[in-house]
């Protein structure tokens, strides 16, 4: 079940504040609004892409931001929210806030930007798009944009991997494993691939003496990898008296292949989608740029009264 967008928090949050006209802790107000929306435990555990904040708390915070901008609530002190006379009047005037009133509050920032448009002419389609976008918090929109870019880059990586030679693919896989921390240096990675490789394309030494090794098979395939290929790799590991193996492919694995790998517990399977995401995470064939996201620092303004 999806978590309600932040506009859904506006009315329950405002009614919660109305029930506590002297104000209340922000955390308690958000929890009360979440209770009113009947959020379950799974919804409350969901985190933003950054992993630093619960999604519902973030959306409750943005709902209050819109209420403040509309003059319906205030923050008399840090972490404390209070309804304003205008907010109380609005709640008292309606048993249930009209949908267009909630939309007006949710769009208060967007309306200001539309009015300041230099051309002074905003089409209905553009206004409708702005309305839809305004119902997602900035963090939500940023997270969605990042996910979209990540998916796009992952698709481009898989297309590029499909064009490289098998030998180059083996090298890319070893580069990735090195970036992931397998082996202290490039000298700890040994290319083996070629005819007569016995099902082994690379060997990674996890220690300087080479006592602990991971054996790698890298297959740039279009077809799904089945159980026979994984069994053959397992046999190659046994021939080397190896205890750890990684089978990486640009395609996917059958259910039987996955089941066999789970049963032997010594082989890790990495399909094309996971490979692309790992390459993005560890910046192999991918470049990134830092984006500075401003966030208000309330601690800076938390001066002692004395």
């Amino acid at each position: 079940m999806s978590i309600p967008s932040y506009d859904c928090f506006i009315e329950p949050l405002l009614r919660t504040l109305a029930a506590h006209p002297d104000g209340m802790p922000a955390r308690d107000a958000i929890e009360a609004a979440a209770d009113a929306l009947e959020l379950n435990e799974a919804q409350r555990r969901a985190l933003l892409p950054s992993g630093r904040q619960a999604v519902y708390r973030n959306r409750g915070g943005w709902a209050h931001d819109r209420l403040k901008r509309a003059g319906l609530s205030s923050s008399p002190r840090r972490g404390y929210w209070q309804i304003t006379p205008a907010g109380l009047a609005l709640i008292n005037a309606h048993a249930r806030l009209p949908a267009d009133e909630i939309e007006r509050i949710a769009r208060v920032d967007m309306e200001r930007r539309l009015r300041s448009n230099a051309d002074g002419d905003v089409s209905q389609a553009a206004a409708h798009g702005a309305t839809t976008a305004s119902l997602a918090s900035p963090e939500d929109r940023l997270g969605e944009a990042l996910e979209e870019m990540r998916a796009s880059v992952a698709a481009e990586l898989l297309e590029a991997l499909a064009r490289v030679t098998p030998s180059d693919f083996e090298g890319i896989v070893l580069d990735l494993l090195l970036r992931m921390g397998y082996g202290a240096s490039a000298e700890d990675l040994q290319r083996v691939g070629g005819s007569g490789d016995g099902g082994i394309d690379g060997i990674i030494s996890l220690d300087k003496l080479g006592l602990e090794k991971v054996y790698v098979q890298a297959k740039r395939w279009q077809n799904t990898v089945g159980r026979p290929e994984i069994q053959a790799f397992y046999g190659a590991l046994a021939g080397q008296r190896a205890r750890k193996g990684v089978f990486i492919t640009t395609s996917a694995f059958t259910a039987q292949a996955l089941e066999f790998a789970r049963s032997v517990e010594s082989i890790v399977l990495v399909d094309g989608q996971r490979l692309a995401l790992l390459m993005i995470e560890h910046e192999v064939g991918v470049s990134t740029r830092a984006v500075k996201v401003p966030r208000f620092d309330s601690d800076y303004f938390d001066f002692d009264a004395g």
Side-chain angles (χ1 to χ4, degrees):
M1 183 183 296
S2 61
I3 301 170
S5 53
Y6 80 85
D7 60 304
C8 297
F9 283 80
I10 287 175
E11 181 167 6
L13 187 57
L14 192 60
R15 291 198 180 279
T16 295
L17 296 178
H20 301 80
D22 293 330
M24 63 189 301
R27 176 181 294 272
D28 295 344
I30 292 176
E31 288 300 327
D35 290 341
L37 291 169
E38 300 182 345
L39 299 190
N40 59 37
E41 285 304 311
Q43 290 171 309
R44 297 183 196 227
R45 287 196 302 269
L47 299 177
L48 292 170
S50 65
R52 296 179 179 178
Q53 186 183 31
V55 173
Y56 83 97
R57 289 189 175 280
N58 176 266
R59 294 182 182 177
W62 279 108
H64 184 255
D65 174 79
R66 293 301 189 262
L67 288 169
K68 282 200 304 181
R69 291 175 186 273
L72 303 175
S73 67
S74 65
S75 299
R77 63 179 185 269
R78 180 185 172 195
Y80 205 81
W81 295 346
Q82 186 175 21
I83 196 166
T84 64
L88 198 56
L90 180 64
I91 285 297
N92 291 335
H94 300 281
R96 185 171 183 177
L97 291 183
D100 59 349
E101 181 64 23
I102 293 176
E103 182 177 328
R104 182 191 70 80
I105 297 168
R107 293 179 58 197
V108 64
D109 227 18
M110 185 62 68
E111 291 285 5
R112 186 177 299 112
R113 288 198 293 272
L114 289 175
R115 285 197 300 270
S116 65
N117 185 285
D119 296 333
D121 180 21
V122 181
S123 69
Q124 281 191 328
H128 176 72
T131 300
T132 303
S134 72
L135 298 183
S137 72
E139 274 87 353
D140 290 332
R141 296 197 299 272
L142 179 60
E144 289 169 2
L146 288 173
E147 286 301 318
E148 184 179 347
M149 288 187 284
R150 190 175 288 112
S152 175
V153 172
E156 290 181 289
L157 282 171
L158 288 175
E159 289 179 7
L161 290 173
R163 295 192 297 267
V164 302
T165 66
S167 176
D168 286 341
F169 179 63
E170 293 166 7
I172 291 169
V173 165
L174 291 179
D175 284 346
L176 171 62
L177 292 171
L178 180 62
R179 290 282 188 94
M180 292 175 66
Y182 293 94
S185 65
E187 287 71 29
D188 296 327
L189 279 68
Q190 176 186 352
R191 291 276 293 275
V192 181
S195 59
D197 63 10
I200 304 296
D201 295 319
I203 303 172
I204 304 173
S205 296
L206 300 182
D207 61 272
K208 287 300 181 181
L209 296 178
L211 297 175
E212 187 72 14
K213 296 180 179 179
V214 174
Y215 289 76
V216 181
Q217 185 164 118
K219 295 303 179 189
R220 187 183 59 82
W221 281 12
Q222 298 298 322
N223 296 328
T224 304
V225 179
R227 179 174 179 142
E229 288 78 24
I230 305 304
Q231 286 179 316
F233 181 50
Y234 181 66
L237 293 178
Q240 298 289 336
R241 296 182 180 180
R243 293 184 299 169
K244 298 177 182 179
V246 181
F247 194 114
I248 299 178
T249 181
T250 51
S251 59
F253 298 98
T254 65
Q256 293 79 10
L258 294 169
E259 181 183 0
F260 178 79
R262 283 192 295 267
S263 69
V264 298
E265 297 184 348
S266 59
I267 299 176
V268 174
L269 304 183
V270 178
D271 62 15
Q273 191 62 36
R274 186 179 179 190
L275 171 61
L277 293 178
L278 287 171
M279 290 178 68
I280 292 172
E281 180 181 353
H282 297 279
E283 298 186 19
V284 176
V286 174
S287 60
T288 59
R289 59 186 174 91
V291 177
K292 292 186 177 180
V293 180
R295 185 180 298 276
F296 174 67
D297 183 5
S298 59
D299 291 338
Y300 178 82
F301 295 93
D302 191 20
F303 303 115
D304 292 332

